[in-house]
Every structure is written in C-alpha cells, then in structure tokens.
Amino acid sequence: SASLKWFGMKMRDATLNQSKTVRLWLEDCVNRMLNVFNQSNFGSEGQELYVDLGGFGTGSMFVEEIESEDARKVFAGARFTASPIGSYVIDEDPYGRVDVMMRLLNKTARNLVAQFPEAVLPDEVKKASERTKDTLYEAIHAIYPREGGVSTLKADAKNLKYASCYILRKGKVLLKESGFHEFPAPTPRWSKLAGETWGRGPGHLALPDVKTLNRLIELSLKAAAKAVDPPLL
C-alpha cells in the first residue's frame, strides 16, 4: 500500500544506529525511496512479478531510470517492467546470485525509431514506421557483467560494471549499448534445489492436482453431452 511505510533502513554497524544524526539521515533516505516507488508504476508491476513468483517459482523485474528532459539532468523517476515468464533467460554468478539476464522484447517500428533515435535501423524498419506503424520486430536486451569490471579511465555508461545491449534480431543490429553500476533486474526465486537456476513455487506443487481436476471436468462434460444426446439415438 502506498500509504504504508513498508520498509526501513539500518546501518550494519550497530553503534552507528545509536546516533540520532545517522537515524535521521536513514529516515530521510527511506522517505525519498518511498516517494520514488509511489510516483512510479511499482505497484502494478510488482503485482505481476508476485503472480509469476507464486505460479512459476521465478519472477523478474527490470528497473531503469527515466531519462530526464531537463537540461540539468535532474532525477526524473524510475520505471519498473515485469518480464513475463518464458520471455527471458538468466544465469548466476559463482555465489548463486542472478547477474545475467537476456529478455526478448516485441517492439513496433514506431517505438524502435522513438526509443533508439541514434541507431542505424534497416530500411525496412524505417519504412514500416512511416506506413504500418504496428508492425512488430523482435529485439533482445542483454544484461551481463563486463569483463574487468568498472574502468577507472572511462566513467561513461559503456564502461560500467554491468553491460546493457539492445539488439535488433532482424539483421543483428546493435541498437544501443550502455551500462549499470548494479544489476538492474532483481530476479527472486521462491525456492530451489541445490544446483538449480530456476525456482520452484506453489504452482509446481499444485500442478498435478490441477491437471487431475481439469481432466475430471473434461470427462464430466463429455458424459453430460452423451446423457443429453446419446450416441445410440
């Protein structure tokens, strides 16, 4: 609920938490973060993530900063996008944390031109954006750790810890390359066995019963149809 303060913050060092100045600073940080959540689409996208998490045992949500149109480059808010199960693949680092995600996106020609104005798009896409604006094209968004980590010589987005590449599947065109300081796609797993990457959830436990009930209803409907209109007649 947007009206509840549903999380708080503390320092790892317990002695710092005794300082009033530190507590006030943490309280201010919590309020700022709550304002960002409440002024974004976090509520609706978070709900979609939890539906996948319970049904399939794995959920994922991409978090990005909204590009500011202000010349001062002030913070314009955050955008959350829940990725539907089956549209992405993930991989873990040596410690079991998800640090690689590649998701498949369906973009219209008009959206490709608007989102990637600096990309060299194929002529087919440019013509489609002018004529049939609803033509869909597949794009791949790959997020993965860069080799060597963060460059100390270059501080631009192309040298951050995590790479972010948008690729147009048709023609294998690199639409945009940037990066993130931290992994921008939190991917919780309900539970998993040792050695597994994908999670298991309540949906896996309910699946056998669901299939049994569906089959039972199917047979009941067939029996009802035969009772109303017997084949022998």
Side-chain angles (χ1 to χ4, degrees):
S1 172
S3 62
L4 297 177
K5 185 174 291 188
W6 49 274
F7 70 91
M9 297 175 64
K10 288 184 177 181
M11 291 292 186
R12 290 186 177 180
D13 188 346
T15 57
L16 291 176
N17 294 319
Q18 299 175 6
S19 170
K20 182 178 179 181
T21 304
V22 173
R23 294 199 304 269
L24 290 175
W25 181 80
L26 290 173
E27 185 71 14
D28 180 63
C29 291
V30 170
N31 292 333
R32 289 170 181 263
M33 295 172 67
L34 284 172
N35 287 334
V36 172
F37 285 129
N38 294 337
Q39 295 171 7
S40 69
N41 62 337
F42 176 77
S44 59
E45 296 300 310
Q47 171 68 17
E48 294 182 19
L49 180 145
Y50 276 109
V51 170
D52 286 347
L53 186 61
F56 304 105
T58 302
S60 184
M61 183 164 58
F62 177 61
V63 185
E64 59 184 329
E65 181 179 347
I66 298 176
E67 295 185 4
S68 176
E69 298 179 357
D70 194 319
R72 297 171 298 173
K73 299 297 182 181
V74 297
F75 180 68
R79 181 185 298 111
F80 301 85
T81 306
S83 300
I85 196 78
S87 67
Y88 61 91
V89 293
I90 57 175
D91 196 12
E92 297 177 335
D93 64 9
Y95 308 102
R97 298 170 299 192
V98 175
D99 67 341
V100 175
M101 179 185 183
M102 298 187 182
R103 57 188 186 130
L104 185 64
L105 308 173
N106 289 315
K107 297 280 188 179
T108 63
R110 179 177 66 89
N111 288 339
L112 286 173
V113 173
Q115 185 175 355
F116 309 105
E118 299 179 359
V120 182
L121 297 172
D123 294 336
E124 176 186 340
V125 177
K126 295 180 180 179
K127 293 179 180 179
S129 66
E130 300 172 356
R131 300 176 183 175
T132 56
K133 300 181 183 295
D134 58 345
T135 304
L136 292 177
Y137 294 90
E138 291 184 338
I140 298 173
H141 184 202
I143 308 169
Y144 54 93
R146 281 195 172 95
E147 295 183 1
V150 183
S151 172
T152 57
L153 300 178
K154 297 181 180 180
D156 58 0
K158 294 184 179 181
N159 290 275
L160 297 180
K161 184 177 180 180
Y162 290 93
S164 172
C165 297
Y166 287 89
I167 303 170
L168 183 64
R169 194 167 186 177
K170 187 178 184 62
K172 301 179 180 179
V173 179
L174 179 61
L175 300 173
K176 181 180 179 181
E177 180 182 359
S178 59
F180 298 94
H181 291 280
E182 300 177 356
F183 187 67
T187 306
R189 277 75 55 87
W190 186 282
S191 66
K192 63 191 185 95
L193 300 179
E196 290 185 334
T197 301
W198 297 90
R200 298 170 181 263
H204 292 84
L205 299 177
L207 185 59
D209 291 336
V210 171
K211 287 186 173 182
T212 301
L213 290 172
N214 285 341
R215 180 60 174 165
L216 181 61
I217 293 174
E218 179 184 355
L219 294 176
S220 299
L221 292 175
K222 286 183 178 180
K226 291 180 180 180
V228 174
D229 185 15
L232 294 179
L233 295 180

